Amino acid sequence: RDRSTWGGFKEDKFDGQGVLYNEEPEALEEEFDYHDFNQLEGKWTHYEGEFKNDNKEGKGVLYLSNGERYEGEFLEDKVHGRGTFHSKKAIIEALWEEDKLISIQNIQELS
């Protein structure tokens, strides 16, 4: 595996609170298009948060290789539910379903 973990296990699966490191993150030079997390692929450095049955599930923070991050809810390894995406230019509070942006609640532009 190209990932290492720290945290709890249940029946040989990652479960509970923990940190998942991507040992070979792909470079992401530009801003990430937060409308579709399916496009992220290996362009993340680590995830801190809750796991269930070997998946990111519950609340967590996903750190991208360009310094941006998503803080919020996950379901079955996907961005799913309420969350906040911290881009280089703005903070976006929104709702996602299965990695896809559904609606934006607020955008705060950074100067």
Side-chain angles (χ1 to χ4, degrees):
R1 282 177 110 158
D2 64 345
R3 307 178 302 176
S4 63
T5 57
W6 176 89
F9 286 87
K10 182 177 179 182
E11 298 175 2
D12 286 333
K13 294 184 178 180
F14 210 42
D15 200 90
Q17 283 290 126
V19 180
L20 175 67
Y21 294 94
N22 184 350
E23 293 181 347
E24 296 179 17
E26 297 173 28
L28 179 61
E29 306 296 331
E30 67 279 355
E31 284 187 63
F32 178 68
D33 178 5
Y34 57 86
H35 293 86
D36 185 2
F37 275 87
N38 279 325
Q39 305 300 314
L40 185 60
E41 298 173 346
K43 300 176 183 84
W44 56 278
T45 59
H46 66 289
Y47 166 83
E48 297 176 9
E50 299 174 341
F51 291 85
K52 184 176 180 183
N53 200 27
D54 244 8
N55 289 316
K56 295 184 266 315
E57 187 150 332
K59 295 195 183 295
V61 183
L62 183 65
Y63 296 87
L64 282 56
S65 59
N66 66 354
E68 296 175 326
R69 73 183 186 277
Y70 166 81
E71 298 179 26
E73 298 174 341
F74 292 81
L75 180 65
E76 297 178 351
D77 233 23
K78 296 178 189 248
V79 170
H80 188 92
R82 296 195 182 283
T84 304
F85 186 77
H86 298 259
S87 78
K88 296 178 180 184
K89 295 181 180 174
I91 298 172
I92 300 98
E93 296 175 22
L95 181 65
W96 284 264
E97 280 186 16
E98 296 187 356
D99 282 341
K100 307 275 189 198
L101 180 70
I102 299 300
S103 66
I104 294 176
Q105 275 80 50
N106 187 42
I107 296 180
Q108 176 186 346
E109 298 292 332
L110 303 174
S111 49

